[in-house]
């Protein structure tokens, strides 16, 4: 009601004329109240208010027509018409070119109902034209494929030339529409206009250089030249209905890929699309056009390696070739037509509500108050919440957005919030209508597996809810899925319409199944998905070795069915797969599971389809899956229980014990006592022992405590005795699990592991990492490797800083390339040192590495910077950004990189930003700085120290940074002195002591000089 009052009163104030009587005001208030009651929502009133505010502000001379427009739409009580008008209220609509079209809309709502119906498709065509000729475009989309950015002025000029020419090309559509619509246009004519606009849009995508180049002559000659060049375009591709649908979806997705981090992906897709069109120039067979696209995808080096690897792991070699020719159903399932509209609505609204969380993160909100508790934004819309709880949190999120949002600054976020509210209401209305129409009767569903680019481009259409829609936040994903051999889309069709789909990622152990997205249909599809999984595992043509299903996937109903049929994996194992296709962009995924979690995730194998037989490939496949560290410990624990007379009777608690071991290794909060106690049915156990004649006198708490202590001690003993070097060679994942566990034990000062054994194991971990860890100067790599590295760093920094407001002065790839010597124009006059990186070598030791073996996947840490003028006038080296992979933290890699930068850059001063309080831990971790501090000389090494900036990440953690300026020359002298001292200790000779003295004396003199300079 508060929303209704807020929006309704403003509409009344704008619609009522100054000379209006009280009766007129009351009549208008009744109309608004009726539309609110009829729709049971505030959306219609809110949308109308925003439309009126926009139109009156932009077109004050048309106030009478605008009032008539809004009041007429209220009269007919059409929320659909109001939403269509709201989509037009964009900056592009204020252009003079749309003036006649705007007056056409005024005329349509003033006419009879048939003309009012024309209002909807006229707005649809106008939206197509506005998308085709935006008034502004992100700078990156007009950049070259090489990563160089054009100047803003040049970019604006190219966009202006492009829009002017596109309007010339679409002028016939606009003219035709303005002439024929008032007299009534046939449906075929409407479709023809839409197709003409879509065709020109595709041409704009494929031939941007024609539209953006400088005009060679007069405007008439320029237009004639463009039309003659367009005549050579193979328009036959639009005669084939499948090709037209695919290319139209392709065009829309490419136009909306405006995010800089996807520039390389966009360029690659455009090159493949060009090959498709080039084949169409010389061949009339549509199958050959598609073959050109498939050939281009298959020829990518990544796909060649991926397919070879997956076939070795048990995937069918025909998984890609069989499905590439045509879209044929994998399986057709006839169900009873059971409805599940409430859960489907909850799932669809959840996808919608999650976008409110994204808006809050972009507004740098980290927590919101829900029922008196502070809830993290990332946890605001949890999948376990009921529909009522989700709606309550949506209301909280909207209130927080309204309080934070500055519409003058965040116009796009304000529009997005309104779109989400209207989408929510549309989902509710559509769900209600579907339930009314749907009958519980047998229904046929077809499942199609899309593995080719031609087919995935058309999947996830506008009806599918989520960010993979053609204009969604991640509209690139269906195209990227078709581009990759290790990903696929499985879609459910009903009556020829795609109603639901799910994403599959092919890893070595099996295909990971993600959450399903739907169009809001009311059907229970669990039976369909289960049948599809059976076919996918058992078919010889498209077989996969296993399916890895996480909780709630692909939807809640299917997960519950699978839980009744299959128990979760007892022990976990690692998942080996590449979630990123290349270092040039980071693939968006809902999650990136690194392992199958014991007792949580379900693994479906061939035994899911038929009984297991000895020697079955399912058994061989499960045996070949590499257990994680918790799985190894659990296997050893169960063998110990079998040999123990007292504990072997408790082997029936194996699943709970496996969970205990997993939680201990992962250092989770839940205690073994809680897990075992919850699963231990003591009464059943007493009855069994009474029947067996082995009745125990122990109480439940005593047994639980004894088992919990056994699990804790066995886990600690196993980790204290395992061979670190052999574990490092066998499984890096298990190695880092061991490192994490031992570090936690060391921090907790545990008594489970002897201090000597704990130190021995942690030292062995450091030694193993040191043997395979290498510090490398970026300038020692080849120019091509340097650019590949900077692309990877750019993508990684974007991920790290996305919700922290971005890195100032380091937003584009071109700015990161500026760190490289061969990319700088001032390298002859300005010193340049790009920085240092740390490699963790997978197959070689550090001593055997050379620069030609560089692989960006080996990078685990980096520090990059440049020479800048400091505020006190000196030239110093600033470390702009540094990063250490979480698994490698605690190894002092950051300190080693900073020291290397001091030594190798030959700078006078080094400047960097550190977390407040980090300097003290840095000092204690470096022997040189420890010695300098012990001698009381540290104050000469730190030239400046002050607070710099504060950031808040998406989890709500505040991070205060401080700026540190280090006297690099002083540190270099101290390092030489330290080196000489170490040499003297190893060679206790008088000559060595004499050799060391000049260096120590030089360091002392330099410290004294700095002191005198500061003092006087």
């Amino acid at each position: 009601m508060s929303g209704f009052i807020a929006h309704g009163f403003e509409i009344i104030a704008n619609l009522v004329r100054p000379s209006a009587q009280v009766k007129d005001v009351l009549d208008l208030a009744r109309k608004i109240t009726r539309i609110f009651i009829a729709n049971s929502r505030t959306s219609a009133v809110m949308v109308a208010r925003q439309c009126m505010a926009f139109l009156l502000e932009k077109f004050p001379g048309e106030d009478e027509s605008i009032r008539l427009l809004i009041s007429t739409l209220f009269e007919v009580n059409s929320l659909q018409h109001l939403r269509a008008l709201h989509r037009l209220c964009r900056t592009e609509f204020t252009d003079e070119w749309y003036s006649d079209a705007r007056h056409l809309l005024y005329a349509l709502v003033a006419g009879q109902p048939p003309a009012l119906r024309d209002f909807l498709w006229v707005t649809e065509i106008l939206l197509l034209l506005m998308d085709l000729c935006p008034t502004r475009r992100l700078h990156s989309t007009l950049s070259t494929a090489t990563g160089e950015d054009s100047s803003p002025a040049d970019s604006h000029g190219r966009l202006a030339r492009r829009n002017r020419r596109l309007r010339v090309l679409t002028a016939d559509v606009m003219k035709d529409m303005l002439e024929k619509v008032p007299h009534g246009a046939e449906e075929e004519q409407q479709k023809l206009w839409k197709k003409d606009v879509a065709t020109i849009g595709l041409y704009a995508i494929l031939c941007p250089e024609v539209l953006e180049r400088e005009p060679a002559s007069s405007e008439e000659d320029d237009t004639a030249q463009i039309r003659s060049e367009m005549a050579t375009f193979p328009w036959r591709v639009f005669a084939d209905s499948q090709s037209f649908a695919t290319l139209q979806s392709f065009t829309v997705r490419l136009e909306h890929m405006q995010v800089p981090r996807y520039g390389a992906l966009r360029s690659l897709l455009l090159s493949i699309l060009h090959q498709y069109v080039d084949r169409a120039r010389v061949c009339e067979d549509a199958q050959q056009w598609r073959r050109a696209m498939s050939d281009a995808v298959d020829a990518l080096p990544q796909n060649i390696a991926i397919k070879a690897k997956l076939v070795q792991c048990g995937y069918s070699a025909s998984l890609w070739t069989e499905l590439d020719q045509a879209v044929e159903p994998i399986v057709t399932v006839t169900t009873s037509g059971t409805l599940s509209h409430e859960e489907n609505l909850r799932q669809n609204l959840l996808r919608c509500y999650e976008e409110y969380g994204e808006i809050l993160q972009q507004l740098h909100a980290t927590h919101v108050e829900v029922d008196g508790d502070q809830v993290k934004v990332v946890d605001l819309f949890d999948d376990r919440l009921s529909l009522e709880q989700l709606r309550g949190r949506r209301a909280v999120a909207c209130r927080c957005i309204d309080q934070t949002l500055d519409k003058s600054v965040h116009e796009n976020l304000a529009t997005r919030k309104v779109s989400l509210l209207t989408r929510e209401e549309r989902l509710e209305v559509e769900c209600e209508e579907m339930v009314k129409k749907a009958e519980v009767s047998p229904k046929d569903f077809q499942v199609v597996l899309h593995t080719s680019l031609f087919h995935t481009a058309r999947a996830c259409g506008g009806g599918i809810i989520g960010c993979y829609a053609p204009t969604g936040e991640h509209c690139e994903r269906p195209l990227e899925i078709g581009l990759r051999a290790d990903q696929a889309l499985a879609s459910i069709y009903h009556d020829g319409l795609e109603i639901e789909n799910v994403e599959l990622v092919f890893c070595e152990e099996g295909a990971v199944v993600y959450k399903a997205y739907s169009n809001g249909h009311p059907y229970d599809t669990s039976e369909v998905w289960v049948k599809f999984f059976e076919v996918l595992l058992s078919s010889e043509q498209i077989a996969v070795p296993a399916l890895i299903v996480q909780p709630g996937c692909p939807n809640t109903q299917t997960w519950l069915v699978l839980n009744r049929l299959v128990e979760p994996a007892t022990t976990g194992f690692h998942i080996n797969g590449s979630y990123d296709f290349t270092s040039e962009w980071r693939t968006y995924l809902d999650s990136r599971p690194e392992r199958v979690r014991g007792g949580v995730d379900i693994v479906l194998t061939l035994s899911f389809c038929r009984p297991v037989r000895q020697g079955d490939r399912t058994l061989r496949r499960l045996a070949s899956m590499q257990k994680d560290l918790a799985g190894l410990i659990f296997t050893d624990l169960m063998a110990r229980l079998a040999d123990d007379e007292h504990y072997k009777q408790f082997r029936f608690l194996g699943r709970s014990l496996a969970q205990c071991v997993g939680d201990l290794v992962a250092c989770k909060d839940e205690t073994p006592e809680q897990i075992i106690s919850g699963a231990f049915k003591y009464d059943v156990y007493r009855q069994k022992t009474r029947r067996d004649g082995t009745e125990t006198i122990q109480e439940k708490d005593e047994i639980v405590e004894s088992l919990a202590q056994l699990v804790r001690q066995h886990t600690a003993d196993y980790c204290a005795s395992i061979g670190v070097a052999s574990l490092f060679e066998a499984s890096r994942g298990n190695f880092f699990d061991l490192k994490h566990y031992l570090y936690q034990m060391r921090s907790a000062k545990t008594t489970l592991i002897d201090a000597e054994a704990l130190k021995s194991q942690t030292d062995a971990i450091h030694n193993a990492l040191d043997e395979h860890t290498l510090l490398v100067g970026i300038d020692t790599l080849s120019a091509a490797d340097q650019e590949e590295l900077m692309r990877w760093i750019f993508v990684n920094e974007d991920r790290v800083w996305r919700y922290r407001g971005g890195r100032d002065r380091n937003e584009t790839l071109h700015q990161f390339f500026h760190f490289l010597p061969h990319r700088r124009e001032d390298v002859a006059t300005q010193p340049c040192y790009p920085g240092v990186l740390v490699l963790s070598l997978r197959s070689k030791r550090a001593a055997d590495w050379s620069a030609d073996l560089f692989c960006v996947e080996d990078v685990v840490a980096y520090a990059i910077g440049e020479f800048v003028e400091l505020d006190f006038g000196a030239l110093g080296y600033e470390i702009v950004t540094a990063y250490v992979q979480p698994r490698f933290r605690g190894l002092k890699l950051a300190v080693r990189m900073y020291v290397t930068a001091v030594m190798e850059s030959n700078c006078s001063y080094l400047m960097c930003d550190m977390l407040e309080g980090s300097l003290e831990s840095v000092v204690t971790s470096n022997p040189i700085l420890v010695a300098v501090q012990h001698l009381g000389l540290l104050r000469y090494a730190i030239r400046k120290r002050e607070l710099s900036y504060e950031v808040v990440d998406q989890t709500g953690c505040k991070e205060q940074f401080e700026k540190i300026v280090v006297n690099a020359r002083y540190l270099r002298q101290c390092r030489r002195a330290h080196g000489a001292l170490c040499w003297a200790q190893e060679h206790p000779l008088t000559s060595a002591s004499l050799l060391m003295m000049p260096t120590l004396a030089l360091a002392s003199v330099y410290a004294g000089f700095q002191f005198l300079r500061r003092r006087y």
Side-chain angles (χ1 to χ4, degrees):
M1 182 56 69
S2 61
F4 166 69
I5 293 173
H7 303 305
F9 283 173
E10 187 173 336
I11 289 178
I12 294 173
N14 285 323
L15 285 180
V16 173
R17 295 174 177 81
S19 59
Q21 302 296 319
V22 174
K23 179 179 178 297
D24 299 328
V25 177
L26 292 176
D27 288 343
L28 183 59
R30 291 190 187 99
K31 289 179 184 178
I32 295 176
T33 305
R34 280 199 301 272
I35 194 171
F36 170 72
I37 295 173
N39 289 280
S40 301
R41 300 169 182 88
T42 61
S43 176
V45 183
M46 178 184 65
V47 168
R49 180 190 68 79
Q50 293 195 338
C51 290
M52 174 165 281
F54 176 86
L55 294 172
L56 288 176
E57 177 189 354
K58 301 298 182 183
F59 314 109
E62 303 171 8
D63 55 333
E64 287 298 323
S65 298
I66 294 169
R67 289 190 177 96
L68 178 62
L69 171 67
I70 300 297
S71 60
T72 304
L73 294 182
F74 270 127
E75 286 282 353
V76 297
N77 193 10
S78 174
L79 183 57
Q80 188 178 10
H81 287 75
L82 284 170
R83 286 172 177 165
L85 178 63
H86 182 263
R87 287 194 292 270
L88 286 179
C89 294
R90 290 162 36 185
T91 307
E92 288 84 0
F93 197 50
T94 62
D95 194 282
E96 186 62 28
W97 199 66
Y98 296 102
S99 177
D100 292 337
R102 197 166 58 251
H103 286 87
L104 173 62
L105 294 178
Y106 297 153
L108 287 175
V109 296
Q112 300 300 317
L116 188 60
R117 286 196 296 269
D118 291 340
F119 182 92
L120 294 176
W121 64 261
V122 169
T123 57
E124 186 179 347
I125 293 178
L126 289 175
L127 280 171
L128 290 174
L129 293 170
M130 288 163 61
D131 286 338
L132 195 61
C133 304
T135 57
R136 63 180 184 272
R137 181 186 286 188
L138 287 184
H139 190 52
S140 63
T141 61
L142 293 176
S143 304
T144 62
T146 59
E148 295 289 353
D149 286 337
S150 57
S151 67
D154 181 48
S155 176
H156 178 75
R158 291 161 61 189
L159 178 60
R161 293 191 294 272
R162 174 187 183 275
N163 286 352
R164 180 180 61 79
R165 285 165 173 152
L166 285 174
R167 286 181 177 173
V168 170
L169 295 175
T170 55
D172 291 341
V173 174
M174 180 70 85
K175 182 180 177 182
D176 249 13
M177 189 171 65
L178 292 174
E179 290 177 354
K180 295 180 179 179
V181 169
H183 307 290
E186 299 293 333
E187 186 176 350
E188 289 301 319
Q189 179 64 60
Q190 300 168 17
K191 292 180 179 178
L192 183 61
W193 287 334
K194 293 177 185 178
K195 186 172 182 178
D196 287 344
V197 176
T199 302
I200 295 172
L202 177 63
Y203 185 79
I205 286 284
L206 290 173
C207 307
E209 69 283 352
V210 175
L211 299 173
E212 295 172 4
R213 69 190 178 196
E214 293 283 353
S217 54
S218 65
E219 185 173 331
E220 293 77 11
D221 293 341
D222 183 59
T223 303
Q225 183 179 356
I226 291 176
R227 289 189 183 277
S228 66
E229 292 185 13
M230 287 181 67
T232 65
F233 188 82
W235 301 109
R236 64 168 67 95
V237 298
F238 296 107
D240 179 69
S241 59
Q242 287 193 18
S243 296
F244 179 73
T246 295
L247 294 177
Q248 188 176 23
S249 178
F250 223 118
T251 303
V252 173
R253 291 183 184 279
L254 286 173
E255 273 296 279
H256 284 82
M257 285 175 58
Q258 306 291 342
V259 184
R261 59 182 174 273
Y262 294 127
L265 173 60
R266 191 173 188 272
S267 299
L268 178 57
L269 290 168
L270 274 173
S271 69
I272 293 174
L273 195 55
H274 274 291
Q275 295 182 51
Y276 179 89
V277 174
D278 289 343
R279 183 69 63 88
R281 294 181 189 276
V282 298
C283 178
E284 296 185 3
D285 185 4
Q287 287 292 339
Q288 293 299 319
W289 313 340
R290 299 170 196 172
R291 175 53 56 192
M293 184 178 288
S294 297
D295 290 344
V297 172
D298 292 341
L300 295 174
Q302 298 98 320
N303 283 337
I304 295 173
I306 287 171
K307 287 183 180 180
K309 183 67 175 177
L310 292 179
V311 170
Q312 289 179 0
C313 294
Y315 289 83
S316 172
S318 57
L319 178 61
W320 302 273
T321 56
E322 290 291 328
L323 302 173
D324 187 45
Q325 300 301 319
V327 180
E328 296 293 339
I330 299 300
V331 61
T332 298
V333 182
T334 301
T335 71
S336 61
T338 305
L339 303 182
S340 180
H341 60 275
E342 289 188 6
E343 176 58 25
N344 287 359
L345 177 62
R346 191 189 75 86
Q347 290 289 339
N348 291 328
L349 288 180
L350 177 63
R351 307 289 178 265
C352 180
Y353 292 161
E354 285 170 348
E355 297 191 37
Y356 289 109
E358 295 179 8
I359 295 176
L360 287 170
Q361 289 175 341
Q362 292 182 48
L363 293 172
H364 308 300
T366 59
H367 289 77
V368 293
E369 185 176 339
V370 180
D371 297 330
D373 297 326
Q374 291 294 319
V375 179
K376 291 181 180 179
V377 169
V378 292
D379 300 328
L380 188 58
F381 299 105
D382 192 279
D383 196 9
R384 294 166 292 185
L385 297 174
S386 67
L387 184 57
E388 291 73 18
Q389 290 173 316
L390 288 172
R391 281 174 171 153
R393 293 195 173 196
R394 183 260 296 140
V396 172
C398 287
R399 174 178 50 79
C400 185
I401 291 171
D402 290 337
Q403 293 173 349
T404 311
L405 197 67
D406 183 348
K407 294 183 180 178
S408 62
V409 179
H410 305 104
E411 179 184 354
N412 60 328
L413 295 182
T415 304
R416 187 178 175 189
K417 180 205 146 191
V418 175
S419 299
L420 289 174
L421 289 171
T422 55
R423 189 203 299 179
E424 177 185 352
E425 295 190 357
R426 188 176 72 252
L427 287 173
E428 292 172 338
V429 171
E430 290 174 352
C431 183
E432 291 171 4
E433 292 175 351
M434 286 182 179
V435 171
K436 291 176 183 177
K437 295 177 182 178
E439 298 179 359
V440 181
S441 59
K443 298 287 189 300
D444 289 336
F445 299 94
Q446 295 79 36
V447 186
V448 177
L449 187 64
H450 301 288
T451 60
S452 69
L453 178 58
F454 184 84
H455 297 134
T456 59
R458 284 173 20 209
C460 296
I464 299 293
I465 298 156
C467 56
Y468 287 12
T471 59
E473 190 77 7
H474 291 285
C475 58
E476 82 288 341
R477 281 298 293 138
L479 299 180
E480 187 187 4
I481 290 170
L483 194 68
R484 301 179 56 161
D486 57 353
Q487 294 186 0
L489 269 176
S491 300
I492 296 179
Y493 288 82
H494 175 57
D495 291 340
L497 178 68
E498 184 185 23
I499 65 170
E500 191 167 317
N501 62 39
V502 70
E503 185 176 359
L504 301 174
V505 175
F506 301 146
C507 300
E508 294 179 21
E509 290 71 23
V512 179
V513 180
Y514 282 81
K515 281 189 176 295
Y517 290 79
S518 78
N519 68 341
H521 67 83
Y523 305 111
D524 181 355
T525 55
S526 58
E527 187 178 346
V528 183
W529 286 122
V530 170
K531 183 62 178 177
F532 169 67
F533 293 161
E534 291 179 358
V535 173
L536 200 58
L537 290 165
S538 60
S539 171
E540 292 297 331
Q541 285 75 31
I542 58 169
V544 300
L547 289 170
I548 299 168
V549 188
Q550 302 174 89
C553 296
N555 54 40
T556 303
Q557 299 99 315
T558 308
W559 171 256
L560 293 175
V561 171
L562 292 176
N563 256 299
R564 290 196 295 268
L565 299 174
V566 183
E567 289 188 345
T570 303
T571 60
F573 56 84
H574 293 282
I575 298 175
N576 294 300
S578 179
Y579 292 111
D580 291 320
F581 190 61
T582 174
S583 61
E584 295 185 276
W585 69 83
R586 180 179 171 83
T587 297
Y588 170 82
L589 289 165
D590 288 342
S591 63
R592 293 174 168 236
E594 296 182 352
R595 72 181 68 211
V596 170
R597 295 164 295 179
V600 179
D601 300 330
I602 289 176
V603 180
L604 302 178
T605 58
L606 196 57
S607 60
F608 177 66
C609 312
R610 55 181 170 80
V612 181
R613 295 191 298 269
Q614 199 65 28
D616 195 304
R617 73 180 175 115
T618 298
L619 297 177
R620 297 197 302 271
R621 184 66 195 153
L622 286 173
S624 66
M625 292 180 179
Q626 186 184 64
K627 292 181 180 178
D628 59 8
L629 181 62
L632 296 174
I633 297 173
F634 171 73
T635 302
D636 194 63
L637 174 63
M638 294 303 290
R640 176 177 174 179
L641 293 183
D643 295 335
D644 191 293
E645 288 298 326
H646 174 65
Y647 285 112
K648 68 180 180 181
Q649 59 181 322
F650 299 111
R651 285 180 296 172
F652 68 92
L653 291 171
R655 189 169 293 277
S656 300
L657 298 179
Q659 184 182 351
C660 291
V661 174
D663 286 1
L664 285 172
V665 172
C667 302
K668 293 184 178 179
D669 294 334
E670 191 172 11
T671 64
E673 286 85 355
Q674 292 172 319
I675 298 171
I676 297 172
S677 180
F680 186 20
K681 307 300 181 186
Y682 183 68
D683 293 338
V684 177
Y685 167 74
R686 287 291 299 271
Q687 292 175 8
K688 181 180 179 301
T689 56
R690 192 177 297 119
R691 287 195 305 267
D692 297 342
T694 58
E695 185 175 3
T696 181
I697 59 173
Q698 280 187 297
E699 294 295 329
K700 178 180 177 179
D701 290 344
E702 295 178 12
I703 298 174
V704 169
E705 186 177 352
S706 174
L707 288 172
Q709 184 59 28
L710 173 69
V711 173
R712 282 196 184 91
Q713 192 60 58
H714 187 84
T715 302
D717 292 344
Y718 189 96
C719 292
S721 60
I722 191 172
V724 172
S726 59
L727 185 66
F728 185 85
E729 296 294 337
S731 171
R732 294 293 174 89
N734 289 345
F735 173 83
F736 285 109
D737 286 347
L738 177 67
K739 171 181 172 289
H740 176 68
Y741 174 78
L742 292 178
Y743 273 46
Q744 291 294 326
M745 292 296 101
R746 186 175 64 180
S747 300
K749 298 180 180 178
T750 179
T751 57
L752 293 172
I753 304 178
D754 180 69
E756 292 281 339
L758 182 60
K759 184 178 184 306
S760 174
Q761 288 292 78
T762 53
D763 289 345
I765 288 173
H766 292 163
N767 293 336
L769 288 172
D770 284 341
E771 289 181 359
H772 292 80
T773 301
L774 181 66
L775 269 76
V776 177
I778 296 176
D779 55 359
T780 64
L781 303 176
S782 66
D785 286 342
Q786 289 182 33
E787 293 192 6
E788 182 185 11
L789 172 68
M790 282 301 167
R791 285 190 178 93
W792 182 86
I793 291 177
F794 168 70
V795 172
N796 188 65
E797 288 293 303
D798 175 76
R799 176 184 60 82
V800 172
W801 285 88
R802 189 172 304 162
Y803 294 115
R804 299 180 178 183
R807 293 211 65 120
D808 187 27
R809 297 181 295 114
N810 297 108
E811 292 91 1
T812 68
L813 179 59
H814 176 66
Q815 290 171 322
F816 276 83
F817 278 157
H818 189 68
F819 291 113
L820 303 178
H822 67 277
R823 286 282 193 151
R824 297 178 66 111
E825 297 178 356
D826 60 350
V827 68
T829 58
Q830 179 84 355
C832 180
Y833 180 72
V836 62
L837 58 97
V838 179
L839 303 177
S840 177
L841 307 180
R842 299 174 185 272
S843 57
K844 290 184 175 293
R845 296 182 182 275
D848 303 325
W849 187 86
S850 59
D852 59 329
L853 299 176
F854 172 75
C855 177
V856 74
E857 294 179 355
D858 294 337
V859 178
V860 297
Y862 56 78
I864 59 176
E866 60 185 344
F867 281 88
V868 296
E869 185 175 349
L870 303 179
D871 54 7
F872 50 87
L875 187 68
Y877 182 76
E878 178 186 9
I879 294 181
V880 177
T881 182
Y883 170 80
V884 178
Q885 199 179 97
R887 281 182 166 182
F888 286 82
R889 289 171 187 169
L891 301 177
K892 307 175 185 178
L893 293 183
V895 177
R896 291 169 62 186
M897 289 191 296
Y898 282 38
V899 171
T900 301
V902 167
M903 301 303 296
E904 301 296 332
S905 65
N906 201 31
C907 59
S908 299
Y909 296 94
L910 181 135
M911 180 171 67
C912 61
D913 289 299
M914 291 184 178
L915 281 172
E916 186 179 15
S918 296
L919 181 61
E920 284 71 24
S921 61
V922 169
V923 169
T924 57
S925 65
N926 187 275
I928 300 173
L929 295 177
V930 169
V932 171
Q933 184 183 39
H934 184 69
L935 295 173
L937 302 176
L938 185 62
R939 62 183 181 276
Y940 303 121
I942 307 302
R943 176 69 170 81
K944 184 178 182 181
R945 182 181 185 181
E946 62 184 14
L947 295 179
S948 55
Y949 62 89
E950 180 184 274
V951 298
V952 182
D953 63 17
Q954 69 261 41
T955 64
C957 298
K958 292 184 178 181
E959 298 175 341
Q960 175 65 57
F961 286 79
E962 55 183 353
K963 191 174 293 297
I964 308 294
V965 179
V966 177
N967 190 326
R969 289 178 292 184
Y970 181 74
L971 286 185
R972 283 196 290 272
Q973 291 293 341
C974 291
R975 182 170 181 177
R976 294 189 185 100
H978 182 266
L981 180 61
C982 292
W983 189 91
Q985 290 176 342
E986 294 174 1
H987 303 81
L989 302 173
T990 306
S991 57
S993 303
L994 294 174
L995 183 64
M996 180 185 68
M997 290 303 295
T999 308
L1000 289 173
L1002 183 59
S1004 301
V1005 170
Y1006 186 76
F1009 171 74
Q1010 290 291 332
F1011 173 75
L1012 291 173
R1013 194 178 74 169
R1014 286 191 182 188
R1015 177 95 180 209
Y1016 301 105

